[in-house]
Amino acid sequence: MMTPKPGQAVRGSQTGRPIMALLDLLGRRWTLRMIWELRGEPLSFRELRERCDAMSPTVLNQRLRELRETRIVEMGAAGGYSLSPSGLNLVKAMLPLLAWSEEWQQMLDDTQQQR
């Protein structure tokens, strides 16, 4: 499976619109979790695998390759993996979704309690 990139056909878009390429990449199993776990500090392969519920090393290697190829993740100077400046910007862009999801949960909880 090819790494989704803007300008190439991806799931949901034959033209490879940038947003569709991003959604294809982020929609791959474990990708969002890996980005989330790397948001605070660089992690070694083993640390990242442990934080991702001991995911398969094969899948972890594949996702790390994709995220490095798309320049969202990079090798840290002291070893391990970290978010690139672009990856950090991606996390900042995702924070409003985090806030929205928490409001959504509260709304659903309130609705459930009213029943």
Side-chain angles (χ1 to χ4, degrees), residues 17-59:
R17 292 177 47 212
I19 188 65
M20 296 305 291
L22 178 63
L23 291 174
D24 187 357
L25 179 64
L26 295 179
R28 292 180 176 205
R29 187 173 174 99
W30 294 109
T31 300
L32 281 170
R33 175 71 180 270
M34 291 169 60
I35 291 169
W36 191 251
E37 294 298 340
L38 289 169
R39 77 191 184 286
E41 61 184 332
L43 298 172
S44 69
F45 185 92
R46 178 178 287 169
E47 291 168 329
L48 184 56
R49 184 168 181 248
E50 288 172 2
R51 289 194 187 185
C52 291
D53 302 324
M55 69 188 285
S56 154
T58 303
V59 174

Side-chain angles (χ1 to χ4, degrees), residues 7-19:
Q8 300 174 355
V10 297
R11 288 185 299 169
S13 175
Q14 290 302 309
T15 61
R17 292 177 47 212
I19 188 65

Side-chain angles (χ1 to χ4, degrees), residues 10-114:
V10 297
R11 288 185 299 169
S13 175
Q14 290 302 309
T15 61
R17 292 177 47 212
I19 188 65
M20 296 305 291
L22 178 63
L23 291 174
D24 187 357
L25 179 64
L26 295 179
R28 292 180 176 205
R29 187 173 174 99
W30 294 109
T31 300
L32 281 170
R33 175 71 180 270
M34 291 169 60
I35 291 169
W36 191 251
E37 294 298 340
L38 289 169
R39 77 191 184 286
E41 61 184 332
L43 298 172
S44 69
F45 185 92
R46 178 178 287 169
E47 291 168 329
L48 184 56
R49 184 168 181 248
E50 288 172 2
R51 289 194 187 185
C52 291
D53 302 324
M55 69 188 285
S56 154
T58 303
V59 174
L60 179 56
N61 270 319
Q62 177 68 26
R63 295 299 171 258
L64 283 169
R65 184 187 63 74
E66 292 167 350
L67 291 170
R68 289 180 67 201
E69 193 174 313
T70 55
R71 298 187 179 167
I72 292 171
V73 168
E74 58 191 13
M75 288 295 295
Y81 298 92
S82 62
L83 292 177
S84 67
S86 180
L88 291 169
N89 284 336
L90 175 59
V91 169
K92 286 179 192 172
M94 290 169 33
L95 290 177
L97 285 174
L98 173 64
W100 182 88
S101 70
E102 290 168 351
E103 292 171 10
W104 181 45
Q105 178 185 10
Q106 187 62 52
M107 176 194 64
L108 293 175
D109 289 347
D110 291 348
T111 301
Q112 191 68 16
Q113 289 174 4
Q114 293 173 359

